[in-house]
Amino acid sequence: MTNDSTPQLLPDDSPAEAAEAPAGRIPELLHAAVTAVGGVERAGQVRMAEAVAEAVESAEHLLVQAGTGTGKSLAYLVPALAHGDRVVVATATLALQRQLVERDLPRTVEALHPALRRRPLFAMLKGRSNYLCLHRANEGTPSEEGEGLFDPAEALGGPSSKLGQDVLRLRDWADETETGDRDDLTPGVSDKAWAQLSVTSKECLGATRCAYGQECFAEKARERAKLADVVVTNHALLAIDAIEGAPVLPEHELLIIDEAHELVNRVTGAATAELTVGAVNRAVKRAARLANEKAVDALQAAAESYHGLMETAQPGRVEELPEYLGYAVAAIRDACRQVITSLGETRDKGLSDEDAVRKQAMASAETLHETADRLLADSAYDVVWIERNDRYGPGTASLRVAPMSVSGLLRENLYKERSVVLTSATLKLGGDFNGVAASVGLPVEGRLPDVRSDAEPARAEGEHAPPYWRGLDVGSPFSYPKQGILYVAKHLPEPGREPDRPQMLDELADLISAAGGRTLGLFSSMRAAQKAAEQLREQLDFPILLQGEDTLGELIRAFASDPETCLFGTLSLWQGVDVPGSACQLVVMDRIPFPRPDDPLMSARQKAVEEAGGNGFMAVAATHAALLMAQGAGRLVRAADDRGVVAVLDSRLATKRYGGFFRSSMPDFWYTTDRNQVRRSLAAIAQSAPPPRPVAKRG
């Protein structure tokens, strides 16, 4: 079965004859599914599957922490397929989306068919800009430099340039692909090349007006989703569905959010807007072809004024827009309103691509207008800051605005009229679910006992009743105290703001030597990872790979294939690394990854908690860092026979009061601060390690 396929119903698959599967049959169905995929049934997997089925039956919400090796995908897919009504599964990573659609769902559907007497349909759905636009591929991109259509390859430096070659390859691919999905293109292309042949939802002409509407890849994906029993999507599209009000996903009664520890960041990203000089200049060029001269001149003048201010703007939070900056933003907003009005009135029959030009210009003006309006609203629920990046030239500062919190938005839009299951290997921080639950809009007052009983408290009903939820930790099949050691380098001086930490690097070199390589180094910043790689490459004979020097897939394959190789990168970007076996026996974190003190959004959130009487440091900074550390520590033990050490080279984990909060958020490894014991253990593990397992190349 191929990606996004829609299998045909067989004669014995009539939904009217399908056997319903009550929660009591879940263990039997799960056993059939696990056997079909060649897996081993886990006690935690059974508990999770039963809990998901019970949550659906009782119209509750469920947070499930399922440790590595539990088999959580099948634990939620089996009750989802047995449920009978449409289910949406939202994941954070492409790898898991593909695993579900290409491997887990086909096998599970076939395994459950004899019991359910039906074959549920499934499909993958993403945002429109993830699909190639046939109108742009065949008719060209609306020109911002002159009249009429043009060849994108020529405009980007000619077909001999890398961008031009990518555009030409995309055009050829448009005739071959069945899905038009960017992730099915191998090798991939740059964002700039892809943007030439894709559109946002605002830029789309619409299926009824577009000459290619019947063949449109995005529309076909939506049609498949409407017919499917299980729709696999991503957190970003789920966030858009929740934020924008207009439904993007088909109606469903059960929502499963996998990798739920990522949800808040993804929703925050979707709700963040930016006013850049480049975006305003693009809007001017796009408007110039169809809007009246007065409106275009007004937007041009506003763009020049804003550009001048942004050239000297200093980065940092803006609690109240200065008057001069407020005038500049208001000028952009008002000029965009004029452009929008003008675009709605004018028609130029001399342009063969008028509809595409108009939609592109309207999309730019509307987006700028919305962003400017939001910046001027001075809402207590938003955080505004100036961000600049002079690596790409002067004048690249921009205004950004993001929600102070997304918990209220999620509470209002995510949990009504459907059951929601949120699952991850890391949902309990500091030993309980309350922190993560609150961040995703599930208040403590809505929490029900983790174990069902006949003596449950009465529930309030009505419009203002909180969403009711339970927490469940099904553990892990791995024996963490026997398989891993958590080592904290208590003897090291506390890290400060200075980038140089020579004693830390000496400690890291000693640990790598004791392990014989086999090290995944997770650093709090790219600068720290680069410095460590530079120094240790001179000091050690072990190969050291560095994030950014090759693609993620190639780096992981090289790391997994050679037991002496080390891999360094940033903690936040290596949460998905899955390398079981002897290639990864030492995971090192250079420091507790607290947010930067000058991070505008994090500092604003921390301040808001403190003003409300809470502990801002623990609620924001510590929770953020604990989640990253828990994910990082989870890279060590990926299989039942894995052994190794997680080393934290930050003495505060052992000496500060909050150290216990962090340690209780991580897997339950055997804990020590004895550096000599750890070196002996690493040497013994390395000596007894089998050869590394081969890593299959990605298709």
Side-chain angles (χ1 to χ4, degrees), residues 125-126 222 237 240-241 244 246-250:
L125 182 62
K126 303 175 184 178
R222 291 193 176 202
L237 192 62
I240 292 170
D241 188 76
E244 296 191 351
V248 179
L249 298 168

Side-chain angles (χ1 to χ4, degrees), residues 309-315 386-390 393-398:
L309 294 174
M310 287 294 102
E311 281 188 314
T312 57
Q314 296 303 307
I386 294 172
E387 187 168 293
R388 69 178 307 122
N389 191 338
D390 289 327
T396 54
S398 61

Side-chain angles (χ1 to χ4, degrees), residues 123-182:
M124 187 185 293
L125 182 62
K126 303 175 184 178
R128 187 172 293 275
S129 61
N130 290 279
Y131 300 97
L132 184 139
C133 172
L134 286 172
H135 185 276
R136 286 201 169 181
N138 291 288
E139 305 295 337
T141 307
S143 171
E144 296 172 7
E145 303 298 335
E147 301 262 335
L149 301 177
F150 76 100
D151 186 327
E154 294 291 348
L156 295 171
S160 61
S161 72
K162 179 64 168 66
L163 277 175
Q165 290 172 356
D166 282 345
V167 169
L168 291 176
R169 184 158 62 87
L170 282 171
R171 281 178 160 177
D172 292 338
W173 182 68
D175 296 328
E176 304 167 1
T177 177
E178 295 182 1
T179 66
D181 186 336
R182 181 179 182 179

Side-chain angles (χ1 to χ4, degrees), residues 59 173 338 340 367 400 471 489 504 545 622 630 665:
W173 182 68
Q338 293 180 53
I340 293 166
T367 299
R400 306 197 81 196
M504 183 276 291
L545 307 175
S665 303

Side-chain angles (χ1 to χ4, degrees), residues 54 94 105 280 322 335 410 414 422-423 433 481 494 499 507 510 523 556 598 605 610 643 647-648 675:
E54 290 169 356
L94 170 64
L105 274 165
V280 182
L410 292 174
L414 206 63
L422 301 103
T423 183
F433 288 103
E494 290 185 13
E507 180 79 8
D510 288 346
F523 294 83
I556 293 175
D598 60 350
R605 288 175 171 174
E610 290 165 356
R643 301 288 187 275
V648 180
R675 58 194 304 199

Side-chain angles (χ1 to χ4, degrees), residues 90 234-245 249 263 266-271 409-410 413-414:
N234 51 51
H235 289 183
L237 192 62
L238 177 64
I240 292 170
D241 188 76
I243 291 169
E244 296 191 351
L249 298 168
L263 182 64
R266 302 300 171 108
V267 175
T268 299
L409 183 151
L410 292 174
N413 296 286
L414 206 63

